[in-house]
Amino acid sequence: METMETIYTSNFKVGAYDFYRHLRQSDAVFAMNQQNGQTSWVITKYDHVKELLKSPNFIKDQSKIFVTPEAEGDEGKIIRIFRNMMLDADPPDHTRLRKLVQPFFNPKTIKALEPRMNVIADELISEMKNQKGPVDLITHFAFPLPIIVISEMLGVPVEDRNKFRKWSNTILAASDNLTTDFAQDVEDFIEYLTRLFEERKELPKDDLISKLLQAEADGEKLNRDELYSMVVLLIIAGHETTVNLIANTMYALFQHPDQLKAVQEDHSLIESAIEEGLRFYSPVDFSTARWSEEEMEFHGKTFKRGDFVLASLSSANRDEEKFSDAETFDVTREQAGHMAFGFGIHFCLGAPLARLEGKIALNSLLSAFPSIRMAGQEQPEWINQFLLRGLKELNVHL
């Protein structure tokens, strides 16, 4: 019915939830395509996804299965950045890397950023008030809020933030299709970070890059490639997914005027609206890739060693066996347990940061613009990026 190529096409997002529902009911462990003796699988049911994400039989480091050439030269430097990324590591490497950065993202540390986040949100709101006509909520609010926050956390100068946006977009696009800009952008990124690392080694500041350079756990520090990888990961995970969280949740509220009205009248519902937004329009559509380490049976299907496995977080979060009225957007929903941030050892490190940014964003928008509404009735366009679910723009009347 569907092939691997289908989920890479721009129109897949429009009908994705119907497709997931069909799979959950008819073929929940779906062989998406076969090539060179290997099968690519999509897992769609909540319980199956949860089992997959916590199982040590599905690994992130493909070099444990496939022979990979030694990375050399400039191209090798690029490859090593992605090979050393915590997101694509298994224990014990993943355990070591996560232990080094976990203290910077615990709830108490993130909570201390709230006053500054409120100031940033207020500044963006003030700028929006000066706009005439419809305003793109993503360009003027949902994007700049998290990119300013993560840039300030890392210690990236204000004037360089747009470069970071360009670089992160290129890297995300490369997960779908390698472009001619990819290698050059990553080389530029590495060169920029190298200078920044040297500056912080000479003159440390109270920022995350300085702390990562000094971080040590059990006598271990991040090496240079791991530092590059960690900063790349934090920039992408620290802003791109939060842009989607804010915009997707606002879009869901616009689609459901009764829910928007409820939140407008009672701001105590904002936190549950954020959780429902995460469930209903998950910012991350698919978990990052895993491979079957050995031949095994998984819910009636045989996985060979090296089979490629994707967990659909979006599908799991609409599973009718887990959530009552799963297709209904309900900001008063009491059922917990969505998997928008993943599950298991790779549960999103930045979840406390994303939740706080989402809460501040909705509170600021609904307080400043109690009559905010979508501009026009057209279906906004989803970005053509298969791992993430995000809107290209979301035009509103303030």
Side-chain angles (χ1 to χ4, degrees), residues 96-109:
R96 175 180 62 86
L97 292 170
R98 185 153 182 139
K99 190 173 184 179
L100 283 164
V101 297
Q102 182 74 56
F104 309 123
F105 289 90
N106 66 55
K108 184 178 179 181
T109 301

Side-chain angles (χ1 to χ4, degrees), residues 2-9 32-33 40 42 308 310 386:
E2 298 283 326
T3 66
M4 186 67 173
E5 290 73 24
T6 304
I7 65 170
Y8 286 86
T9 60
M32 189 163 50
N33 94 338
S40 297
V42 174
F308 175 82
L310 282 173
F386 95 96

Side-chain angles (χ1 to χ4, degrees), residues 17 137 243-263 272-283 318 327-331 362 366 372 374 379-380 382 389 391 393-394 396:
Y17 286 108
L137 199 60
V243 174
N244 296 348
L245 162 59
I246 296 168
N248 292 0
T249 302
M250 286 302 299
Y251 176 51
L253 287 167
F254 292 140
Q255 285 184 304
H256 301 84
D258 59 324
Q259 301 297 300
L260 176 59
K261 182 180 179 182
V263 178
S272 61
I274 290 294
E275 296 305 312
E276 182 67 344
L278 285 162
R279 184 196 71 85
F280 194 76
Y281 281 140
S282 304
R318 295 276 191 105
E327 299 292 336
T328 300
F329 180 77
D330 179 6
V331 298
L362 261 66
L366 297 180
I372 191 171
M374 277 184 64
Q379 163 72 44
W382 296 104
R389 174 174 286 273
L391 295 164
E393 58 183 19
L394 182 59
V396 298

